[in-house]
C-alpha cells in the first residue's frame, strides 16, 4: 500500500529550530515535496527533493534518504507566521502526488 | 506573478445537483490537476490531465466526476450528482512541463452540499 506518516502536531518557541519528520512507503518515487498550508488556504510549495541529501532554501531545509523512505523539514529562526500545517507529499511512479495528513506546527512566543 | 485562479470561491448546492468548478491554470503550463480536501483531512489527489486527456485518476474519481479543458484556458471539474460527502475544498493545480516539478495551487473552491 501507499502510506505517508508524519506527526500530527508539534509546538516550538519563536526563534528556535524545529524538525518535522516524514516517512513514506509508495509504489514508485519521483520526488518528495514539502508544502505549507495555513488554515483555509491552498498549499504553498516549500521544497522538493529527488536525490538523497539536504536542500537548503533560506530558513527552510529539507532532507531526503530514499533508502530509508525518510525525509525531514527543518525550520530555523522560527517566526509566529510559521504557525501552519506542513504537508509531506510524494510523487509516485506516474502523475499522482500523495499527501500525508500534515503536521500542525504551533509557534509560541 | 502568474497564478492559478478558481471560481467560484464558495459554492452551495443541493444533493443530487450537478456542479462545475472552474480553474484557469497558468498560461504556458501543460499539466493540470484536481485535488480535494475534506475539512480537517488530508489533501487527496483526484485526477491529472495532460495533452487533452486524463493521464491518471484516483479511486475517488469515479463516473460521477469528469474533467474538461474546453477552450485552451479553462480547466473544469464537473460533479454530476452531488452527495453530502462531496462537501470539501477543491484545489486546482498546474505544472509547467516535464522538466518542472512544482505544482502551483489555486486558492480553492469550497463546495458545500446540503
Amino acid at each position: 500500500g501507499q502510506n505517508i506518516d508524519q506527526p500530527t502536531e508539534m509546538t516550538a518557541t519563536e526563534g528556535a529550530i524545529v524538525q518535522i519528520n516524514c516517512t513514506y512507503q509508495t509504489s514508485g518515487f519521483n520526488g518528495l515535496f514539502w508544502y505549507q498550508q495555513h488554515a483555509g488556504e491552498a498549499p504553498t510549495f516549500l521544497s522538493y527533493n529527488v536525490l538523497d541529501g539536504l536542500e537548503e532554501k533560506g530558513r527552510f531545509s529539507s532532507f531526503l534518504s530514499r533508502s530509508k523512505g525518510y525525509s525531514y523539514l527543518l525550520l530555523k529562526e522560527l517566526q509566529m507566521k510559521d504557525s501552519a500545517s506542513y504537508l509531506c507529499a510524494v510523487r509516485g511512479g506516474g502523475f499522482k502526488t500523495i499527501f500525508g495528513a500534515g503536521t500542525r506546527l504551533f509557534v509560541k512566543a | 506573478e502568474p497564478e492559478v485562479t478558481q471560481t467560484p470561491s464558495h459554492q452551495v448546492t443541493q444533493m443530487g445537483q450537478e456542479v462545475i468548478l472552474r480553474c484557469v491554470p497558468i498560461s504556458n503550463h501543460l499539466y493540470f490537476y484536481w485535488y480535494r480536501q475534506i475539512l480537517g483531512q488530508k489533501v487527496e489527489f483526484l485526477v491529472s490531465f495532460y495533452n487533452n486527456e486524463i493521464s491518471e485518476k484516483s479511486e475517488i474519481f469515479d463516473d460521477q466526476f469528469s474533467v474538461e479543458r474546453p477552450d485552451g484556458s479553462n480547466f473544469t471539474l464537473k460533479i454530476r450528482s452531488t452527495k453530502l460527502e462531496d462537501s470539501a475544498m477543491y484545489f486546482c493545480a498546474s505544472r509547467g512541463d516535464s522538466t518542472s516539478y512544482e505544482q502551483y495551487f489555486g486558492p480553492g473552491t469550497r463546495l458545500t452540499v446540503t
Side-chain angles (χ1 to χ4, degrees):
Chain A
Q2 309 206 81
N3 201 42
I4 297 178
D5 286 313
Q6 48 183 134
T8 306
E9 282 185 5
M10 298 182 73
T11 301
T13 305
E14 197 175 15
I17 298 172
V18 71
Q19 177 174 313
I20 303 174
N21 295 323
C22 170
T23 57
Y24 65 90
Q25 291 173 306
T26 57
S27 52
F29 181 84
N30 274 315
L32 185 143
F33 300 84
W34 283 96
Y35 286 88
Q36 182 190 63
Q37 187 178 32
H38 285 99
E41 297 182 11
T44 54
F45 171 83
L46 292 177
S47 69
Y48 172 73
N49 295 69
V50 67
L51 300 175
D52 289 355
L54 189 68
E55 294 281 341
E56 297 186 80
K57 196 191 268 189
R59 294 191 298 117
F60 296 79
S61 303
S62 56
F63 171 82
L64 175 68
S65 167
R66 287 172 300 169
S67 62
K68 293 181 178 159
Y70 167 70
S71 173
Y72 67 72
L73 178 71
L74 196 70
L75 293 81
K76 301 175 193 170
E77 301 167 22
L78 279 173
Q79 302 173 11
M80 299 299 287
K81 67 178 182 180
D82 296 329
S83 293
S85 287
Y86 291 85
L87 316 182
C88 175
V90 174
R91 190 169 149 209
F95 293 85
K96 189 174 182 177
T97 300
I98 299 165
F99 282 77
T103 298
R104 199 178 307 175
L105 176 66
F106 298 95
V107 179
K108 57 183 185 180
Chain B
E1 186 178 329
E3 57 183 18
V4 177
T5 58
Q6 290 185 243
T7 53
S9 56
H10 191 187
Q11 170 108 38
V12 181
T13 190
Q14 288 191 324
M15 200 167 50
Q17 296 297 303
E18 175 183 286
V19 293
I20 298 176
L21 311 183
R22 300 179 195 280
C23 168
V24 179
I26 293 172
S27 67
N28 59 348
H29 281 192
L30 301 177
Y31 297 86
F32 314 111
Y33 306 84
W34 282 101
Y35 295 88
R36 80 170 185 193
Q37 187 174 32
I38 296 170
L39 187 64
Q41 298 187 25
K42 64 182 178 182
V43 175
E44 298 175 290
F45 169 83
L46 290 178
V47 66
S48 60
F49 192 86
Y50 169 70
N51 203 24
N52 282 320
E53 61 182 23
I54 291 174
S55 45
E56 193 163 357
K57 60 183 181 179
S58 71
E59 317 72 48
I60 303 167
F61 194 90
D62 59 20
D63 293 342
Q64 180 197 10
F65 294 90
S66 61
V67 289
E68 202 175 39
R69 188 155 161 81
D71 57 12
S73 63
N74 289 285
F75 180 49
T76 61
L77 175 70
K78 184 192 289 188
I79 309 175
R80 249 177 284 285
S81 177
T82 50
K83 304 177 210 158
L84 294 177
E85 53 266 37
D86 294 328
S87 294
M89 189 74 120
Y90 288 81
F91 293 109
C92 171
S94 70
R95 178 167 70 97
D97 57 28
S98 58
T99 64
S100 60
Y101 50 82
E102 184 177 346
Q103 291 184 31
Y104 294 80
F105 280 76
T109 292
R110 180 167 298 285
L111 176 66
T112 302
V113 182
T114 62

